[in-house]
Amino acid sequence: MTVSTASPLSALQTSLRPLRERLFAHPVYGLVDSLPRLRTFMERHVFAVWDFMSLLKQLQRKLTCIDVPWLPSGHPLACRLVNEIVLGEESDADGQGSFLSHFELYTAAMAECGADVGPITRFQEMLRRGLAVDAALLEAGAPPESRQFTSATLAVAEHGTLCETAAAFTFGREDVVPEMFRRIVSGLATQPAAGLSRFSYYLDRHIEVDEGQHGPMAHAMLSELCGQEEGRWHEALTASQQAIEARLAFWDGTAKAISAV
């Protein structure tokens, strides 16, 4: 990528366009056209909902101060943006007069529509007991495509540079989620509403918040962190490409599972 000093963010977005088009054209969205198929989708996708928070929490650790004694973070704009995103993702309005993380809202939607929450519940229990993520995924019975995707996400969160983590968060998640979820909403439009109220709320809320607030915040955060450093923008591009490619592989496995239903 040749980085434009006038707009390196725009140059990165242009470079990502072919991958984004492949992602939005993936057949998985059209396959989610019945309640049984939705359950199969959710039982896999819930692990991606969980691992998103590890990306976000790593950014919070690096861009804010969560230690005592407190010291200024050195990234005032990014600090503000990541704290606002954490507020929404970890404690959003649940549509029923209270608050939940988006992950908990998703698992509640799974329970409502009859999806199997056993693997994701066992996974959390094993993490609380101190098992490593990869071992917990295997022991909990997570689907292979979910294990592969989550392992890739955690590798970036735990070992990536700050710009790599921010890029995976921005262009692997916040920037693409609204359009992906619109396609799922379209596929479910003909299904009866029974059992789908919480999932519909989850999708609508994510489209609203990510597109209107969190996506633009993530763009601003990445721009602040990379600045005009060409090396950092190359890191960001590579991490963004890898994040989208990992999602494409995840959707391939998910689509295969759904087609068998």
Side-chain angles (χ1 to χ4, degrees), residues 18-196:
L19 268 179
R20 284 168 51 87
E21 290 173 356
R22 283 179 55 201
L23 180 63
F24 298 147
H26 199 282
V28 72
Y29 314 111
L31 292 172
V32 185
D33 58 2
S34 68
L35 197 54
R37 287 185 159 192
L38 173 62
R39 292 174 185 140
T40 300
F41 172 85
M42 295 181 80
E43 288 159 7
R44 283 148 182 81
H45 181 241
V46 66
F47 289 92
V49 178
W50 173 83
D51 71 22
F52 166 85
M53 288 302 299
S54 293
L55 280 175
L56 178 56
K57 283 299 183 176
Q58 184 68 294
L59 289 173
Q60 188 181 36
R61 289 175 62 184
K62 291 183 176 181
L63 294 172
T64 75
C65 181
I66 57 172
D67 297 322
V68 176
W70 175 87
L71 290 169
S73 72
H75 299 280
L77 174 61
C79 178
R80 171 65 183 238
L81 296 176
V82 77
N83 277 332
E84 286 197 28
I85 295 172
V86 168
L87 175 66
E89 296 289 347
E90 199 168 31
S91 55
D92 199 9
D94 69 350
Q96 298 185 354
S98 189
F99 303 94
L100 281 176
S101 68
H102 285 179
F103 170 75
E104 291 167 304
L105 183 59
Y106 196 93
T107 56
M110 290 179 68
E112 182 186 54
C113 78
D116 183 9
V117 297
I120 190 65
T121 300
R122 290 192 296 273
F123 174 63
Q124 294 173 81
E125 291 170 352
M126 290 173 184
L127 290 180
R128 290 190 179 98
R129 283 191 250 147
L131 213 61
V133 170
D134 285 346
L137 286 167
L138 190 60
E139 288 293 320
E145 54 272 19
S146 300
R147 296 201 307 269
Q148 183 178 5
F149 184 80
T150 298
S151 294
T153 301
L154 267 290
V156 176
E158 293 176 341
H159 306 298
T161 67
L162 182 54
C163 287
E164 287 170 339
T165 305
F169 176 83
T170 300
F171 289 106
R173 303 300 178 108
E174 296 290 5
D175 194 64
V176 296
V177 160
E179 191 59 35
M180 289 193 302
F181 282 3
R182 277 200 185 90
R183 281 159 166 70
I184 295 172
V185 169
S186 176
L188 290 172
T190 61
Q191 295 304 303
L196 294 179

